[in-house]
Amino acid sequence: MVLEIIQLTVYGIVLGSIISLGAIGLSLLYGILRFAHFAHGDVMTVGAYLALAGVTGLGLPIWAASALAVGGGVGLAVLIDQTLYRRLRRTAPVILLIASVGIALILRSLVQFVWGPDTQVYTQELQMPVRLLGIRLKPTQLQIVAGAVILVVILHLFLTRTRTGKAMRAMADNPELARIVGIDTELVVVWTWVIGAALAVAAGIFLGMDTRLQPTMGWHILLPVFAAAILGGIGKPYGAIVGGMVVGIASELSTMVFPPVYKPAVAFALMVVMLLVRPTGLFGAPR
Amino acid sequence: MSLLSMTRLRGGYGGADILNGIDLRVEAGEIVVVVGPNGAGKSTAMKAVFGLVDIREGRLVFDGVDITRLRSDRLARLGISYVPQESNVFASMTVHENLEMGAFIRRDDFSGQLARVYDIFPPLKEKRASRAGSLSGGQRQMVAIARALMLEPRLLLLDEPTAGLSPAFTELIFEKIVEINAGGTSILMVEQNAKQALGLAHRGYVLTLGANRYEDTGANLLANREVAEMFLGG
Amino acid sequence: MDLFELFTFVVFFLSLVGIYGVLALGLNVQWGLTGLFNIGIAGFFAIGAYTSAILTTADSPGYVGGFGLPMAVGLLVGILLSGTIALLIGLITLNLREDYLAIATIGIAEIIRLVLKNEEWLTNGVRGIAGIPRPFAGWFDDPTGVTNLLVVALALVVVYAALERGRQSPWGRVMRAIREREIAVMAAGKNTVRFRLESFVLGSAIMGLAGGLYAHFFGFVSPEAFDPMYTTFLIWVMLIAGGSGNNRGALLGALVIWTIWAGTEYLTNAFAPPEYLTRAATVRMFLVGLLLEIILLTRPQGLLPESQFVTRREERRRRRSDISDGK
Ligand SMILES: Nc1ncnc2c1ncn2[C@@H]1O[C@H](COP(=O)(O)OP(=O)(O)OP(=O)(O)O)[C@@H](O)[C@H]1O
Ligand SMILES: [Mg+2]
């Protein structure tokens, strides 16, 4: 029983790492652009499949394919922003929301068109789980958690040490004052897409490594990702990390009681409870 | 030639004009104070200087350069700093980071100016690692002004720097403003504490309905019976 | 294709346009009238469909059923149930930011999808529920399904007429005021959350009705038919293409988009080699997404913009009252 709880918690941390990476990007984008980016899950999907193309098409090792995929995903996100979202920014945020739902669909049909609807994997190789004090863990799962930690540290350094990172936080905090101190807000927006998309691509690849690739994978994880962002107080990237962990661990633990297919429902329930008691998130001011 | 001149400015926020042909002028080295009833368009006039209002008619010239339609970052580069009336700090960032953001467009070494600003506002030095949002109103106002000084501006725009502050803090802020002015920075300031502000101003304007009502030296305005009845509480 | 086939096809096509029209009208109550962002349309649609399906089918082994109630009862309970669920979600999210409502509706649609797929005792899982009675089945012979079309048309007309009346009533004016400038309405002492809740529940109930109509039209429901993305998305494109805020625009959008959607499906089915059929479906979806973005960029007001429509109507009304005033 205790061992099972620990085991599930460990799985929860793995899932939480993936969700967190998605939720950070979502939160950053929300902080800067003030709209919920519904295509975020599908950006994850695209990233995962770009890496697949690198692995199976070009025969690259997964890390090299990942770098390629990050480049591709970032390029795509910036392209979409500049051709579509940028032109809609002067209208209501909810128009951007609709546009992003459209992008979600466009991206998913592209993936389905190119790679087909069937599930795929990065490698057929069987993974031997390592055993540690009775806890089972696959090497890929270790890689996922380690990768997420590294990315979060890099993000933290970026946000607190670099000029662009600080400008980003400043703009999320107070857009008008950011303009007053001379920050080029359009440039910050582009940077936000770069970072949000890069993290989403990483999350997508990790999700593909942990389970398998499917054109709807990103759409199905979007709900937990949103739940994590809201739990952490949307717009707060650090909150999103905690939110992601809470959602991940709670989802895995719930499988002791409910069938695993209802994991997204658990995330949703957490979100609803949060919205009821403290809509500003775990670290926000109480209502 | 004036440092800043605003000529027959008309404009607003897209709807009806808020500014109805306003004229303002700041000479180098001056403290100029703008007073007027609520909603007169004082803040709008300040925003107009900083390119945050749709200007339909009229001209803004800063040190010989037409700035009527310049973007905010260009204005900052010309040497104008602006402290808005509300939410004028980055609440989630530390005091130190707020000052750094004030120097955002500077590519040179600004550590000297940082030290000078901390000298002007010693309490900020102690609080440099605190989040600006956690400070008291008076301290926040200091952060806002200090942030604006990081550019070493030639013209400082202050929108009601003492609003909501205790008399002691108000006194302190006014002292600092005189000190900053003595250091060579010209100041254009909107104030509700008209008596005190006009007392330290070289010149002042009274605005109503987005246009000039009176324009004179600070002392003369203070002595003016009508102005006194309107704004100074008799 | 002989005349009979053509007629059957037209009836089939129009029935679906009608059902989508009802859905679009439901969404228009929420988005067009009050600016509420619901992307869980498929969920409310499914609730209406499954409720009616379960209540009206004959007994079958393996899952609940055998109530054999009349279709009208099935539709009514479906309407009530989707309205109730909307009420619950609305109570939680309507006083929060608009994005939260959107996320909550996605969540509920997703959970409904999971329940449909996995709770076999209730929904028969992925196999779906068959044998849902057609309207007035057994009363007379109806090989073309024209009775069904009439039922759909009747529902559509009733919903449309009711909404048009509502829109021009004081209630409708408050709704639009809420969408445009909420602060002014709050200053006027109206409880905007209450009004938004009403519009959310009403819109979702209408979607539930559409679900019931759908179930009885096909006689079969399965989780696949309620894919959150496809249904929800098509309805959104319909409303935005037609012109949100405007009930006639919603109907026009349903007609135009469904024609494009079904037309391209017909074309690809006829001409694309079978091995490309699934690919062809994704291309169609891609193109609909692209269409939406193009509309948003170039004609955000849709084919029938609301303002023009409203002013013309109001002008007419004003003129009429001028005459009655004897001017
Ligand atoms: N962002 C804005 N959009 C539209 N109207 C605005 C905006 N800001 C101010 N106004 C309107 O412009 C007019 C002038 O406002 P402004 O803030 O310039 O007045 P003020 O003289 O600074 O008043 P106060 O003493 O209250 O600060 C007011 O009627 C106000 O409602
Ligand atoms: Mg003001």
Side-chain angles (χ1 to χ4, degrees):
Chain A
M1 176 72 181
V2 175
L3 202 63
E4 194 189 355
I5 291 179
I6 298 175
Q7 177 73 62
L8 287 175
T9 307
V10 170
Y11 286 158
I13 292 171
V14 176
L15 181 60
S17 304
I18 297 169
I19 294 175
S20 293
L21 291 180
I24 294 170
L26 205 62
S27 228
L28 281 173
L29 285 167
Y30 193 92
I32 298 292
L33 293 166
R34 310 272 155 197
F35 87 103
H37 184 226
F38 273 88
H40 212 66
D42 292 282
V43 173
M44 288 169 66
T45 311
V46 169
Y49 274 90
L50 285 177
L52 180 74
V55 170
T56 59
L58 306 175
L60 296 172
I62 181 80
W63 60 266
S66 301
L68 212 69
V70 167
V74 163
L76 186 67
V78 172
L79 181 77
I80 293 170
D81 177 66
Q82 292 298 303
T83 51
L84 178 66
Y85 297 148
R86 190 169 63 91
R87 291 162 208 251
L88 297 174
R89 275 207 265 286
R90 285 193 153 255
T91 63
V94 72
I95 298 295
L96 279 167
L97 216 150
I98 301 177
S100 75
V101 176
I103 289 296
L105 203 79
I106 288 177
L107 292 181
R108 178 146 27 120
S109 22
L110 273 178
V111 166
Q112 217 165 70
F113 181 76
V114 177
W115 285 280
D118 301 326
T119 58
Q120 309 203 34
V121 287
Y122 286 123
T123 165
Q124 301 286 357
E125 255 174 65
L126 218 55
Q127 291 250 340
M128 291 314 273
V130 251
R131 280 184 170 279
L132 208 87
L133 303 170
I135 304 293
R136 274 163 292 123
L137 203 61
K138 284 187 283 184
T140 48
Q141 294 179 318
L142 272 175
Q143 288 162 15
I144 289 169
V145 176
V149 169
I150 292 171
L151 288 174
V152 165
V153 169
I154 294 176
L155 176 77
H156 173 73
L157 293 177
F158 172 80
L159 286 177
T160 53
R161 301 289 156 85
T162 68
R163 204 171 116 87
T164 310
K166 284 179 197 172
M168 217 152 121
R169 281 164 55 216
M171 191 173 156
D173 183 318
N174 189 335
E176 177 144 305
L177 195 58
R179 221 165 306 131
I180 286 169
V181 300
I183 291 171
D184 181 346
T185 49
E186 275 302 314
L187 193 65
V188 172
V189 167
V190 170
W191 267 102
T192 312
W193 281 109
V194 169
I195 291 167
L199 293 176
V201 167
I205 296 171
F206 288 161
L207 185 62
M209 284 165 65
D210 193 35
T211 55
R212 42 185 100 224
L213 292 92
Q214 225 189 320
T216 51
M217 61 194 273
W219 176 254
H220 286 151
I221 206 171
L222 186 65
L223 188 59
V225 167
F226 264 121
I230 288 181
L231 236 58
I234 196 155
K236 301 192 182 106
Y238 295 99
I241 300 170
V242 181
M245 284 300 159
V246 172
V247 169
I249 294 172
S251 300
E252 291 295 347
L253 286 178
S254 76
T255 58
M256 294 173 72
V257 189
F258 304 109
V261 287
Y262 286 113
K263 279 190 216 171
V266 173
F268 180 71
L270 269 177
M271 183 181 93
V272 166
V273 170
M274 185 51 106
L275 289 179
L276 281 176
V277 297
R278 201 188 267 247
T280 45
L282 286 169
F283 309 104
R287 193 169 172 164
Chain B
M1 184 181 57
S2 308
L3 184 63
L4 174 77
S5 68
M6 178 185 285
T7 325
R8 310 225 148 276
L9 214 62
R10 288 177 188 279
Y13 301 97
D17 282 354
I18 308 289
L19 303 177
N20 295 304
I22 182 174
D23 289 299
L24 276 180
R25 182 164 59 79
V26 180
E27 304 293 338
E30 274 189 329
I31 297 181
V32 174
V33 166
V34 178
V35 296
N38 288 93
K42 307 181 296 289
S43 296
T44 307
M46 304 284 268
K47 284 188 209 164
V49 177
F50 221 72
L52 301 169
V53 168
D54 296 332
I55 296 172
R56 264 198 326 108
E57 245 181 73
R59 239 160 83 86
L60 278 162
V61 177
F62 179 75
D63 196 22
V65 182
D66 188 328
I67 59 163
T68 316
R69 283 186 175 80
L70 279 197
R71 278 187 4 195
S72 306
D73 53 328
R74 296 290 309 282
L75 295 164
R77 271 171 233 279
L78 285 175
I80 309 178
S81 271
Y82 167 48
V83 180
Q85 183 173 354
E86 276 151 3
S87 48
N88 50 21
V89 297
F90 296 110
S92 68
M93 302 176 88
T94 65
V95 169
H96 187 76
E97 285 173 334
N98 264 276
L99 300 189
E100 277 182 342
M101 294 324 290
F104 186 79
I105 58 165
R106 290 183 67 157
R107 293 294 191 163
D108 55 341
D109 176 19
F110 53 79
S111 51
Q113 181 65 5
L114 196 62
R116 238 165 294 155
V117 165
Y118 277 134
D119 277 347
I120 302 177
F121 298 106
L124 296 188
K125 192 157 193 171
E126 287 163 38
K127 296 267 182 191
R128 59 203 302 271
S130 309
R131 289 187 330 120
S134 68
L135 302 180
S136 75
Q139 288 169 334
R140 245 197 309 232
Q141 205 60 46
M142 288 186 194
V143 174
I145 298 172
R147 185 226 86 219
L149 289 177
M150 285 304 297
L151 272 186
E152 301 184 44
R154 294 159 66 199
L155 175 65
L156 179 59
L157 308 173
L158 296 173
D159 197 346
E160 303 203 10
T162 67
L165 300 190
S166 69
F169 253 123
T170 303
E171 189 64 37
L172 178 75
I173 294 285
F174 280 137
E175 267 170 36
K176 297 299 177 189
I177 288 170
V178 173
E179 188 182 330
I180 292 162
N181 178 246
T185 303
S186 310
I187 289 171
L188 175 60
M189 166 167 74
V190 173
E191 252 309 326
Q192 293 284 12
N193 293 311
K195 209 176 251 174
Q196 273 168 294
L198 287 173
L200 57 85
H202 299 102
R203 286 186 308 109
Y205 291 85
V206 178
L207 292 191
T208 51
L209 301 174
N212 300 46
R213 182 76 171 262
Y214 298 99
E215 170 191 350
D216 213 326
T217 63
N220 283 353
L221 283 176
L222 275 175
N224 184 318
R225 286 252 324 265
E226 275 179 75
V227 174
E229 271 166 30
M230 274 172 73
F231 304 110
L232 308 177
Chain C
M1 197 190 268
D2 63 22
L3 218 58
F4 175 76
E5 266 180 59
L6 183 69
F7 183 71
T8 314
F9 175 78
V10 169
V11 167
F12 181 86
F13 175 82
L14 286 179
S15 303
L16 274 174
V17 169
I19 291 169
Y20 280 108
V22 174
L23 278 171
L25 287 177
L27 181 61
N28 195 28
V29 174
Q30 300 175 336
W31 168 248
L33 217 52
T34 349
L36 299 176
F37 199 83
N38 178 359
I39 22 185
I41 300 169
F44 298 105
F45 189 49
I47 289 178
Y50 268 85
T51 308
S52 207
I54 291 170
L55 290 181
T56 56
T57 41
D59 196 13
S60 46
Y63 61 96
V64 290
F67 301 104
L69 292 166
M71 172 175 168
V73 177
L75 290 184
L76 194 68
V77 178
I79 290 170
L80 291 179
L81 203 60
S82 22
T84 311
I85 290 178
L87 181 70
L88 292 178
I89 306 176
L91 283 174
I92 296 171
T93 51
L94 276 180
N95 46 4
L96 301 171
R97 276 197 290 249
E98 57 195 357
D99 336 65
Y100 287 176
L101 175 70
I103 296 163
T105 54
I106 272 208
I108 214 75
E110 199 53 23
I111 289 176
I112 290 169
R113 187 184 68 88
L114 292 174
V115 169
L116 297 185
K117 243 174 106 173
N118 297 296
E119 299 305 316
E120 302 209 343
W121 60 273
L122 182 66
T123 64
N124 206 22
V126 286
R127 285 188 299 277
I129 296 178
I132 306 165
R134 308 295 168 90
F136 304 104
W139 290 30
F140 40 79
D141 202 28
D142 178 23
T144 56
V146 74
T147 342
N148 205 343
L149 177 60
L150 291 178
V151 170
V152 171
L154 178 70
L156 187 68
V157 168
V158 169
V159 171
Y160 177 82
L163 289 183
E164 274 299 303
R165 281 193 72 129
R167 209 170 69 94
Q168 290 160 49
S169 70
W171 181 83
R173 277 200 295 278
V174 174
M175 290 295 183
R176 262 173 293 152
I178 287 175
R179 190 190 60 193
E180 298 308 334
R181 23 162 212 283
E182 199 162 338
I183 299 157
V185 184
M186 279 193 292
K190 305 277 185 190
N191 180 349
T192 60
V193 173
R194 171 75 193 272
F195 275 94
R196 279 147 51 112
L197 193 60
E198 282 171 14
S199 102
F200 188 61
V201 170
L202 178 62
S204 302
I206 293 173
M207 293 168 189
L209 167 67
L213 294 171
Y214 178 90
H216 294 281
F217 167 61
F218 270 114
F220 171 72
V221 289
S222 73
E224 223 167 285
F226 304 100
D227 183 288
M229 209 49 193
Y230 286 5
T231 316
T232 301
F233 194 70
L234 271 182
I235 307 302
W236 266 102
V237 179
M238 285 170 181
L239 185 60
I240 292 194
S244 37
N246 173 352
N247 288 326
R248 286 206 300 194
L251 294 184
L252 180 69
L255 177 66
V256 170
I257 299 299
W258 187 251
T259 307
I260 295 176
W261 182 247
T264 49
E265 181 171 25
Y266 180 75
L267 287 180
T268 48
N269 282 354
F271 298 114
E275 63 268 31
Y276 286 112
L277 274 187
T278 40
R279 293 234 155 144
T282 65
V283 171
R284 285 193 300 140
M285 214 58 221
F286 174 87
L287 292 177
V288 171
L290 210 59
L291 180 65
L292 171 79
E293 310 296 7
I294 291 170
I295 294 170
L296 285 178
L297 283 175
T298 59
R299 202 179 162 80
Q301 72 277 33
L303 292 169
L304 287 183
E306 180 192 13
S307 53
Q308 221 181 323
F309 182 66
V310 168
T311 46
R312 217 186 306 138
R313 173 187 297 275
E314 267 163 13
E315 213 167 58
R316 218 184 308 140
R317 187 180 326 125
R318 210 171 306 135
R319 215 175 305 136
R320 225 181 293 136
S321 66
D322 282 354
I323 293 166
S324 59
D325 284 349
K327 283 183 202 155

